[in-house]
Amino acid sequence: MTAVSGPAPVPPAPGAVRAAAVRATDVPLAAVDPPPVPGLTGPPAGRALVMGVLNTTPDSFSDGGSWLDPAAAVLHGLAMAAHGADLVDVGGESTRPGAARVDAEEEQRRVLPVVRALADEGVAVSVDTMRASTAAAALEAGAALVNDVSGGLADPTMASLVAERGVPFVAMHWRGHADVMAGLADYGDVVAEVREELARRAEALLAAGVREDRLVLDPGLGFAKTAEQGWELLGRLDALVGLGRPLLVGASRKGMLGALLAGDDGAPRPAGQRDDATTALTALAAAAGAWCVRVHAVRPSADAVRVAARVASARVATARRGEGAR
């Protein structure tokens, strides 16, 4: 279910969705053809896309434990699609700072029933994984896109899988796993170095056969970056958009927002209370040319990208009228 401008789609009845989740848990379903991804496998949407975060983990930094039950996760994913998510990003392994890895079997136990059920309901699903085996299983279950926070570096077989399947692939800027990344935030010029490292990663992926028209880059806010470095990257999104590839921006509820919005006692604002600030960043990222924003609270960001697109359209129209009057 790819959201477009206009009334939000209405999800099927909860009972039907719960039944779909149960079926996905018990019965291996045949692969389904996923919906097109605007700007990659389908025509552009004319605005930034919105990717809804669906963590089926017990320990994610913001919503860990909320969507462990497959039926509850499917209901939440379908609600995000109805609220305007163009993609629902299903992940089964936390990548919060300091998180330990889970094995492939557990990751797939968490994500595959949810991917199957959402895809069966027509939702465009991305799978958030660093493992080629999980990505392959999710694609068979109907996922439309692979979102790899390691950009294919954690699993040397990921690039060949994505190349063989010809699917959209998000490659994030990455320097190491969650348990060590805090010590890898050493930059002289964070914007220049992230840009250069992303460019090199894109070249390697293209050389491995990943399709050029289906490669998306992500600056990796919060991954081997301090809060200040994150703000520098957000302030120079134009430099990253200038790489000439679609850009995914994932700032939703990040620690940099918690620190910025700290109370008088210096305590960071809790993750669940950072959605208004996230929406502000959505509008700014969309205005700067981001292809997609990845967020927990979908509806306000779905509104924000439409506002940003309308302002951009008005600006272009005004400029054209001015040229015509000369």
Side-chain angles (χ1 to χ4, degrees):
M1 177 186 309
T2 302
V4 294
S5 298
V10 178
V17 181
R18 289 186 184 278
V22 172
R23 288 198 306 273
T25 305
D26 295 340
V27 182
L29 300 182
V32 298
D33 292 329
V37 180
L40 298 177
T41 58
R47 56 168 172 79
L49 304 185
V50 176
M51 175 186 284
V53 179
L54 182 51
N55 292 316
T56 61
T57 58
D59 56 346
S60 292
F61 82 95
S62 171
D63 56 358
S66 297
W67 315 115
L68 281 174
D69 174 66
V74 173
L75 283 170
H76 184 55
L78 206 60
M80 288 195 289
H83 291 163
D86 300 282
L87 290 153
V88 174
D89 193 41
V90 181
E93 180 177 22
S94 175
T95 52
R96 62 175 174 77
R101 299 210 68 187
V102 299
D103 61 35
E105 182 178 2
E106 174 62 16
E107 181 186 31
Q108 291 172 31
R109 185 191 69 79
R110 294 173 180 176
V111 304
L112 293 181
V114 180
V115 172
R116 286 191 189 107
L118 288 175
D120 193 47
E121 296 293 337
V123 176
V125 179
S126 59
V127 60
D128 179 1
T129 183
M130 293 182 277
R131 289 189 175 92
S133 61
T134 300
L139 292 170
E140 288 298 321
L145 177 149
V146 177
N147 180 17
D148 182 352
V149 299
S150 80
L153 290 169
D155 185 337
T157 65
M158 180 66 89
S160 60
L161 168 74
V162 173
E164 178 186 347
R165 299 296 180 89
V167 296
F169 183 63
V170 178
M172 195 189 79
H173 177 264
W174 189 80
R175 286 186 166 185
H177 286 290
D179 57 344
V180 299
M181 65 182 180
L184 301 175
D186 183 18
Y187 303 88
D189 181 333
V190 67
V191 176
E193 290 173 51
V194 168
R195 189 181 193 279
E196 175 59 28
E197 289 170 31
L198 278 174
R200 288 203 304 267
R201 190 68 206 131
E203 290 174 5
L205 290 166
L206 295 175
V210 175
R211 287 182 53 165
E212 186 164 10
D213 61 347
R214 298 192 178 178
L215 178 59
V216 178
L217 302 179
D218 179 342
L221 300 171
F223 290 79
K225 321 255 184 342
T226 65
E228 183 57 35
Q229 289 163 348
W231 288 116
E232 289 183 46
L233 287 165
L234 286 169
R236 287 297 317 281
L237 283 181
D238 61 309
L240 304 177
V241 171
L243 286 168
R245 307 203 178 278
L247 190 73
L248 173 68
V249 176
S252 182
R253 298 182 180 176
K254 290 285 175 80
M256 56 192 289
L257 293 174
L260 176 69
L261 304 173
D264 293 340
D265 60 356
R269 182 174 293 182
Q273 298 175 23
R274 301 171 190 169
D275 289 332
D276 290 345
T278 296
T279 304
L281 285 180
T282 287
L284 293 168
W291 166 76
C292 184
V293 292
R294 182 178 183 271
V295 299
H296 296 82
V298 166
R299 192 192 296 274
S301 281
D303 289 348
V305 296
R306 286 163 171 79
V307 170
R310 187 65 186 87
V311 170
S313 175
R315 184 178 293 121
V316 170
T318 300
R320 286 176 177 166
R321 284 198 300 271
E323 291 173 359
R326 293 191 185 120

